[in-house]
Amino acid sequence: NGKGVINHDSVSLDNLGIYKDDYLSYLKQDIMLLGAVMLEAKAIYYDLYQVDILNRLTISSLALSIFRRKYINDSEKNRIYILNDNEEQFIRSGYYGGHTDVYLPTGEHLKYYDVNSLYPYSMLLEMPAGKPRWKNNLGLKKTKIELKDMFGFIKAFIICPADMHKPFLPYKQSDGTLIFPTGRFIGVYFSEELKYAVSIGYKVYPICGYLFDRMESPFKDFVNDIYRRRLEAKARGEKALDFIHKTTMNSLYGRFGINPESTTTLILNKEEALKFPMEHEGFMHSEELCADRFLITYKNKRSAELQRKREKPPANAAVQISAAVTAYARIHMYPYIAREDCYYTDTDSIVVKHPLPADEVSATKLGAFKLEHDVTKGVFLAPKSYMLQTVRDEQIVKHKGAGKIMANEKWFINQLDDPHLKHTFEYELKFSRNWHKLLVEKKTAVAVERVRWGLVGW
């Protein structure tokens, strides 16, 4: 019968007592409906994969369980190797995301395309197998291996032509920001990405790295089977089942890239809380909860783990898989990003002026492009900040941050005319997350909103 209706704006501390019964009834119905949904999902997952979702905390760990139970072919030849800490840290430095860039700020009569399951498609390609072999001094004549013969993760000296308008190789700055620079730099990259970079004009000088054996993708049955199930569910109009298959398929690659560094939260008394920062290298912050009780958060540091057991690998993590998948995805996207008529890209999508070739467009083919929107007018201010007007008279607005409530068509046009335009306004957050106190709370804040221009080449 539904959970009823509550005007959340009218809820306050003053009327909690007056409407207590109504609020409790609403919350009970909400919990019962969620429970019913979870029971249905539990039945679906068990029926399809014989996996109990109650035994898994995340979708990614659930996807890994499904892969291991039904699809893995665990032979010596194609075994996924669990890295030790030194191997993991080196390869993780070559684990990057995708392009999210603005190339042209505004246009009319555009095409917005998405790739059908970009990362699952990339999982079908050759993967690094077995124990990696460390190779030093790759540039020396007596130890030189040609780049074309390498398969693995290579630290290399890179030269990107200064006149390359849309650079291909990513670079992670010291603050964690991902950029795609021209000029000279050093980084760790998947060998196949370096080979592609050379083909478009980069100069690459390998220094050292970990080389792997090639293996046929162990994920083919997993991806193809679940993608088929997803298409069948979509054809029947079963949106919930379509969503289940989509999230399961998209979550597996990221599980291999799970970071062994994590945070832990404890509740300690005052005396324990005062000692804690001096005794734990990874201490982050302390928050007083009440009399003699403090919430302490600390990071599980690699160095502390290495002192206890230097070679202990992160359980069920194989970042070489995730890094290879994201590298293949960037290679797949780049020819479309590099087009002169590309206005905008965000990981697995592009906005272009002219239609893509018919043989590259399909609503169902894995890895092909799907036409999402015919755009009559588009304004692109920065990564994840754009406005689209479609032929269906829909308006699509994407904008990060507090200023999202102001981001309408007029705001985008004004911001495009004057990139330095600033707006100061007060706004209310009904569900503000306080990570220090582990609370969700309501608060009012003041923001100064302006767009940091994201045009490549400006």
Side-chain angles (χ1 to χ4, degrees), residues 387-403:
M387 184 271 296
L388 305 176
Q389 194 76 37
T390 75
V391 294
R392 297 178 181 177
D393 206 26
E394 299 172 306
Q395 190 174 88
I396 300 168
V397 171
K398 298 289 183 182
H399 186 69
K400 295 193 303 180

Side-chain angles (χ1 to χ4, degrees), residues 423-447:
H423 300 274
T424 301
F425 60 97
E426 187 177 277
Y427 66 101
E428 185 177 72
L429 292 171
K430 299 187 190 307
F431 302 100
S432 174
R433 290 169 292 185
N434 185 326
W435 292 110
H436 289 191
K437 294 184 178 181
L438 299 183
L439 292 175
V440 176
E441 54 193 7
K442 183 177 180 180
K443 72 176 185 179
T444 301
V446 175

Side-chain angles (χ1 to χ4, degrees), residues 356-373:
L356 298 183
D359 61 348
E360 297 175 8
V361 179
S362 168
T364 58
K365 184 180 177 183
L366 191 66
F369 283 83
K370 174 178 57 186
L371 180 61
E372 288 285 354
H373 304 290

Side-chain angles (χ1 to χ4, degrees), residues 122-139:
S122 301
M123 290 168 67
L124 299 178
L125 301 174
E126 289 182 316
M127 291 289 148
K131 182 176 174 60
R133 304 173 296 280
W134 175 253
K135 297 293 181 180
N136 206 358
N137 300 320
L138 287 173

Side-chain angles (χ1 to χ4, degrees), residues 38 53 57 126 138 326 332:
M38 294 301 294
I53 65 173
L57 291 176
E126 289 182 316
L138 287 173
T326 54
H332 184 68

Side-chain angles (χ1 to χ4, degrees), residues 200-448:
I200 60 173
Y202 280 77
K203 291 183 179 179
V204 173
Y205 301 94
I207 299 170
C208 59
Y210 284 102
L211 301 184
F212 289 81
D213 294 328
R214 293 174 181 266
M215 70 169 165
E216 184 181 8
S217 171
F219 307 114
K220 284 187 176 181
D221 290 343
F222 173 87
V223 171
N224 290 330
D225 188 34
I226 296 181
Y227 191 67
R228 174 185 57 79
R229 293 172 187 264
R230 184 188 172 195
L231 292 180
E232 290 172 354
K234 187 178 289 189
R236 296 192 299 266
E238 297 176 336
K239 293 183 179 180
L241 195 55
D242 172 18
F243 178 78
I244 283 176
H245 292 316
K246 177 183 177 180
T247 53
T248 302
M249 186 175 59
N250 288 343
S251 299
L252 178 60
Y253 93 92
R255 179 59 181 77
F256 290 105
I258 189 171
N259 195 329
E261 284 192 350
S262 60
T263 58
T264 300
T265 299
L266 301 173
I267 296 177
L268 303 177
N269 61 38
K270 185 175 182 180
E271 182 180 350
E272 293 168 331
L274 288 173
K275 292 179 181 178
F276 196 90
M278 296 179 284
E279 297 174 351
H280 292 79
E281 180 187 355
F283 172 78
M284 295 172 66
H285 51 76
S286 171
E287 190 77 38
E288 185 175 5
L289 295 178
C290 58
D292 201 37
R293 285 294 179 268
F294 289 78
L295 196 69
I296 303 294
T297 303
Y298 68 96
K299 181 175 286 189
N300 302 308
K301 301 288 285 184
R302 290 178 184 271
S303 55
E305 180 61 44
L306 287 172
Q307 288 172 5
R308 289 194 294 272
K309 191 172 182 181
R310 179 165 295 277
E311 293 300 318
K312 182 179 179 181
N316 294 327
V319 72
Q320 71 271 26
I321 299 296
S322 300
V325 168
T326 54
Y328 280 135
R330 288 189 296 274
I331 294 170
H332 184 68
M333 291 298 297
Y334 187 75
Y336 304 94
I337 292 171
R339 287 170 48 134
E340 291 296 323
D341 67 337
C342 182
Y343 282 69
Y344 180 83
T345 184
D346 187 351
T347 308
D348 64 347
S349 63
I350 53 170
V351 180
V352 292
K353 178 72 172 178
H354 305 293
L356 298 183
D359 61 348
E360 297 175 8
V361 179
S362 168
T364 58
K365 184 180 177 183
L366 191 66
F369 283 83
K370 174 178 57 186
L371 180 61
E372 288 285 354
H373 304 290
D374 275 306
V375 178
T376 55
K377 182 178 181 180
V379 177
F380 311 94
L381 299 180
K384 301 187 185 297
S385 179
Y386 61 84
M387 184 271 296
L388 305 176
Q389 194 76 37
T390 75
V391 294
R392 297 178 181 177
D393 206 26
E394 299 172 306
Q395 190 174 88
I396 300 168
V397 171
K398 298 289 183 182
H399 186 69
K400 295 193 303 180
K404 186 173 183 178
I405 60 174
M406 299 180 60
N408 54 28
E409 183 177 5
K410 181 180 178 181
W411 181 86
F412 272 91
I413 297 299
N414 290 340
Q415 202 73 50
L416 184 65
D417 290 340
D418 182 3
H420 301 290
L421 193 63
K422 294 182 181 180
H423 300 274
T424 301
F425 60 97
E426 187 177 277
Y427 66 101
E428 185 177 72
L429 292 171
K430 299 187 190 307
F431 302 100
S432 174
R433 290 169 292 185
N434 185 326
W435 292 110
H436 289 191
K437 294 184 178 181
L438 299 183
L439 292 175
V440 176
E441 54 193 7
K442 183 177 180 180
K443 72 176 185 179
T444 301
V446 175
V448 178

